[in-house]
Amino acid sequence: MRLRYKPGAKERLMSYPQYVIYNVQERKGKWQELFGNDHEIHVEIGTGKGKFLTEMAKANPHINYIGIEAYDSVIISALDRLIEADLPNLKLLNLNANKLEDYFASGEISRIYLNFSDPWPKNKHAKRRLTYKSFLKMYENVLVPQGEIHFKTDNQALFEFSLVSFSHYGMKLNYISLDLHNSDFEGNIMTEYEEKFSSMGHRIYRCEVQFPK
Ligand code: SAM
């Protein structure tokens, strides 16, 4: 993701409290209250410019979505999409997702999406990959029992690493595609990175995995 400083981004984000949520620690255990219903909550970590989650929220009004993105200069584009679409079932959080347990109670999230997560190719940076075992532990702590992670990437090395990480953690592999765009998977919603990399001829990998308990 190209990180270009955007003057005024923070202020603009803060001027839409119906879409961009701050004081997130106060929301812990009360996210459904914020949405005003008891629908499932699905979270995307590293939501980027928000194409995937905006389209998912439009297509699935019975699901509550939360997009988490660390950079204000990036999530500002997701806010623009959300203002345009005016969706009640999508909220954005401008923060680093490495402390999810501070923001969500145990069992509060039903599914986590990881799309085109940063690959951190050097071995010495493996712990930063969002599918490293310490992240899986954190996800398990905030997901419902047998909660799911849906993961897409064009990076073969990250995909291989992640499958091993899921497997070592004892997760169930419910779906794997080594070439999503040439598979029979229906209803795929493309992310910004997916559009970019598939147009360059990259193959897209996808899996759905589930915690055992
Ligand atoms: N998911 C989008 C897509 O597929 O088009 C963006 C992919 S981009 C390669 C990865 C994004 O994840 C970046 O915008 C980065 O800032 C964000 N990110 C990485 N680690 C994060 C974390 N721990 N918390 C929040 N955002 C994170």
Side-chain angles (χ1 to χ4, degrees), residues 144-175:
V144 294
Q146 301 177 351
E148 295 179 6
I149 299 174
H150 291 196
F151 174 54
K152 287 198 278 194
T153 183
D154 68 313
N155 188 299
Q156 184 179 341
L158 178 65
F159 195 67
E160 289 170 356
F161 168 88
S162 302
L163 291 181
V164 172
S165 184
F166 297 142
S167 166
H168 282 179
Y169 205 84
M171 297 182 78
K172 249 169 79 185
L173 307 179
N174 290 336
Y175 173 92

Side-chain angles (χ1 to χ4, degrees), residues 1 44-48 68-71 74 95-98 115-118 130 135 191-194:
M1 186 69 62
E44 184 186 22
I45 298 176
T47 210
I68 304 181
E69 168 55 51
Y71 289 98
V74 177
L95 49 82
N96 192 309
N98 58 11
N115 290 319
F116 297 80
S117 305
D118 297 325
L130 291 181
F135 281 99
T191 78
E192 276 96 358
Y193 268 63
E194 187 171 354

Side-chain angles (χ1 to χ4, degrees), residues 17-77:
Q18 68 274 46
Y19 299 133
V20 187
I21 309 303
Y22 289 93
N23 300 328
V24 283
Q25 293 182 348
E26 290 166 20
R27 303 281 175 193
K28 182 173 175 175
K30 302 180 202 153
W31 286 98
Q32 281 175 329
E33 260 175 50
L34 180 74
F35 285 101
N37 59 49
D38 61 358
H39 300 167
E40 281 185 9
I41 295 176
H42 295 187
V43 170
E44 184 186 22
I45 298 176
T47 210
K49 296 182 176 174
K51 176 181 180 292
F52 175 78
L53 225 50
T54 313
E55 290 185 28
M56 289 293 280
K58 266 188 215 164
N60 304 291
H62 56 289
I63 308 275
N64 296 323
Y65 291 94
I66 297 176
I68 304 181
E69 168 55 51
Y71 289 98
D72 54 15
S73 58
V74 177
I75 202 172
I76 193 78
S77 302

Side-chain angles (χ1 to χ4, degrees), residues 80-211:
D80 288 337
R81 284 182 190 278
L82 183 47
I83 293 169
E84 166 91 26
D86 191 22
L87 297 164
N89 60 330
L90 172 57
K91 307 289 179 202
L92 301 173
L93 311 186
N94 179 203
L95 49 82
N96 192 309
N98 58 11
K99 289 191 177 155
L100 277 189
E101 291 133 321
D102 289 353
Y103 319 133
F104 295 96
S106 167
E108 203 165 16
I109 300 175
S110 294
R111 183 181 297 170
I112 288 176
Y113 289 100
L114 301 174
N115 290 319
F116 297 80
S117 305
D118 297 325
W120 295 106
K122 291 184 182 158
N123 279 339
K124 68 175 182 185
H125 291 147
K127 288 182 181 170
R128 299 184 189 178
R129 296 175 192 149
L130 291 181
T131 51
Y132 188 73
K133 61 185 173 192
S134 54
F135 281 99
L136 299 184
K137 179 82 200 136
M138 180 175 77
Y139 305 150
E140 188 178 28
N141 287 341
V142 293
L143 278 164
V144 294
Q146 301 177 351
E148 295 179 6
I149 299 174
H150 291 196
F151 174 54
K152 287 198 278 194
T153 183
D154 68 313
N155 188 299
Q156 184 179 341
L158 178 65
F159 195 67
E160 289 170 356
F161 168 88
S162 302
L163 291 181
V164 172
S165 184
F166 297 142
S167 166
H168 282 179
Y169 205 84
M171 297 182 78
K172 249 169 79 185
L173 307 179
N174 290 336
Y175 173 92
I176 295 182
S177 174
L178 300 178
D179 190 357
L180 179 63
H181 293 185
N182 290 306
S183 73
D184 54 10
F185 181 77
E186 287 179 11
N188 183 45
I189 288 182
M190 293 223 265
T191 78
E192 276 96 358
Y193 268 63
E194 187 171 354
E195 283 190 336
K196 180 174 152 193
F197 289 129
S198 59
S199 74
M200 290 162 65
H202 294 203
R203 195 196 277 221
I204 306 301
Y205 304 91
R206 182 179 185 281
C207 67
E208 296 178 8
V209 295
Q210 188 174 23
F211 287 99

